[in-house]
Amino acid sequence: MKYGIILLALAALLVFSGCVSPQSGSPTGAATAIQQPVSNQQPVANNSISIPLSSVSSQAKWFEYDAGGTTIRFFAVKGSNGGVKTAFDACDVCYYSKKGYRQQGSDMVCNNCGNKYPIDGLGVENRNPGGCWPSYLPSKVVGENVEILKSDIEAGKTMFV
């Protein structure tokens, strides 16, 4: 009886923390996302990848980066103010599910737990560490490109192994 109460409390905690949801399931929308490989075969002196700013819009685009045989996925999308938002296609908490995100209007939705995140709020580190959040991937606009350091992409490798 005592263990049943503990298990019930643990299950409730997982549901309310956003790690488990009755809406979890297959990654709806992920299959239709455009996967664009990003070359990491640039000269050693170039420590970043470039995405043409003209290819980033209010519709999220997913990209793949090969880090020594591990495919790291991330997305780029413009917020309502025109600012570029980038994030790993993995959640700080739910990454183990390997389900990533999909876009619904002006929100990104975790394909594992169903939590929604306004696109305008992305591009920052997790405000509530320990909770679901599109994992932070820093980037900056340089001229006509979005630049992301290869080392920043590779820092997320453990979420995709």
Side-chain angles (χ1 to χ4, degrees), residues 103-126:
Q103 184 176 358
Q104 282 184 344
S106 60
D107 294 323
M108 296 305 290
V109 181
C110 177
N111 288 321
N112 187 56
C113 67
N115 286 350
K116 293 181 180 182
Y117 304 96
I119 289 170
D120 287 341
L122 301 181
V124 297
E125 293 190 58
N126 193 340

Side-chain angles (χ1 to χ4, degrees), residues 27 73 89 94-100 112 158-161:
R73 294 180 320 278
D89 191 28
C94 304
Y95 68 88
Y96 61 88
S97 72
K98 311 256 187 279
K99 294 182 180 178
N112 187 56
T158 58
M159 292 185 287
F160 297 93
V161 175

Side-chain angles (χ1 to χ4, degrees), residues 1 11 14 23 29 42 45 69 71 74 78 96-97 111 134 136 151:
M1 178 72 172
L14 288 172
Q23 299 170 355
Q42 299 173 13
T71 301
F74 60 95
K78 278 190 181 175
Y96 61 88
S97 72
N111 288 321
Y136 179 60
S151 60

Side-chain angles (χ1 to χ4, degrees), residues 37-57:
V38 177
S39 174
N40 64 350
Q41 305 302 319
Q42 299 173 13
V44 176
N46 187 350
N47 63 354
S48 65
I49 60 104
S50 295
I51 300 169
L53 190 55
S54 61
S55 72
V56 181
S57 72

Side-chain angles (χ1 to χ4, degrees), residues 4 41 61 65 76 80 86 113 118 126 128 141:
Q41 305 302 319
K61 267 194 189 160
Y65 176 88
S80 64
T86 55
C113 67
N126 193 340
N128 299 310
V141 175

